[in-house]
Amino acid sequence: LTTLTPVFGSSGQIYTIVGNSVDISTRKETEKALIREQKFNEALLDTATDGIIACDEKGKLVLFNQTAKKWHGKKLKPITVKEAVEPYNLFRFDGVTPLKPEEIPLQRAYEGERIYNEEIAIKAEGQPIRYVSTAASPVHDKAGNKLGAVVIMRDITESLAQREALEKSE
């Protein structure tokens, strides 16, 4: 990184130019490594077959992987988790009763609860109802500070249909 600064004489003409150079090779390599890691993490999230959603330390939605976008039929909106029931069509497992904001697995995780196998339904417009099993967890840094929360959703719609068909045949 080179900086050149003109020095003017009393007549207003450039008298000399003063330059300063700093080797930023290490910084550039670090930036490249961070960009590679970021692209890898994005690709990893977007190729996951489970839906992944996260919120930040203020409870604002900050991450929707491609699967979550497909299942909800919508992209990430800059809203809080508590505001997500209606725009993201979240229902209790009966598929009829909308979730209350405090029932959303991601909201519960944001408030400190760990969720395992919590089943809910997603009724995205123009799509058949989707039943998902969720696992959610708060996210903290090494010092214990809250960074947000994450939920992973696994589609169990097909396995439910198979189970119902088996029960019917028995």
Side-chain angles (χ1 to χ4, degrees):
L1 174 66
T2 301
T3 305
L4 299 174
T5 306
V7 177
F8 296 94
S10 58
S11 64
Q13 298 287 341
I14 295 177
Y15 172 70
T16 188
I17 296 177
V18 177
N20 181 27
S21 292
V22 178
D23 183 359
I24 60 169
S25 301
T26 304
R27 184 177 88 189
K28 286 295 187 185
E29 288 303 315
T30 303
E31 287 173 358
K32 285 180 185 177
L34 285 171
I35 290 169
R36 274 193 308 274
E37 183 178 344
Q38 182 180 16
K39 288 182 184 273
F40 176 78
N41 289 338
E42 287 172 1
L44 185 68
L45 287 170
D46 282 341
T47 57
T49 57
D50 290 340
I52 303 170
I53 301 172
C55 67
D56 65 13
E57 73 279 357
K58 295 177 182 166
K60 184 178 170 186
L61 296 174
V62 293
L63 180 128
F64 255 56
N65 74 341
Q66 290 300 322
T67 302
K69 288 175 189 173
K70 177 183 166 191
W71 290 355
H72 289 283
K74 296 183 177 161
K75 293 182 179 182
L76 176 69
K77 293 179 180 234
I79 60 175
T80 64
V81 179
K82 283 187 174 184
E83 299 169 306
V85 171
E86 185 182 331
Y88 292 112
N89 310 299
L90 303 175
F91 290 81
R92 289 186 180 161
F93 198 65
D94 64 11
V96 176
T97 311
L99 284 177
K100 294 178 183 168
E102 63 273 10
E103 295 175 323
I104 300 171
L106 183 59
Q107 178 64 33
R108 291 168 51 198
Y110 175 73
E111 292 175 6
E113 187 178 348
R114 290 191 178 274
I115 310 293
Y116 301 99
N117 298 318
E118 182 80 23
E119 296 174 337
I120 65 171
I122 301 169
K123 289 174 64 174
E125 198 172 313
Q127 296 184 38
I129 192 164
R130 183 178 310 274
Y131 296 96
V132 297
S133 177
T134 66
S137 177
V139 177
H140 296 91
D141 64 16
K142 290 180 181 180
N145 300 309
K146 184 193 300 191
L147 299 177
V150 63
V151 64
I152 298 173
M153 303 175 295
R154 174 152 295 155
D155 188 345
I156 59 171
T157 307
E158 191 174 310
S159 63
L160 283 175
Q162 290 171 350
R163 191 174 3 172
E164 287 174 7
L166 179 64
E167 287 172 3
K168 228 181 221 187
S169 71
E170 288 177 348

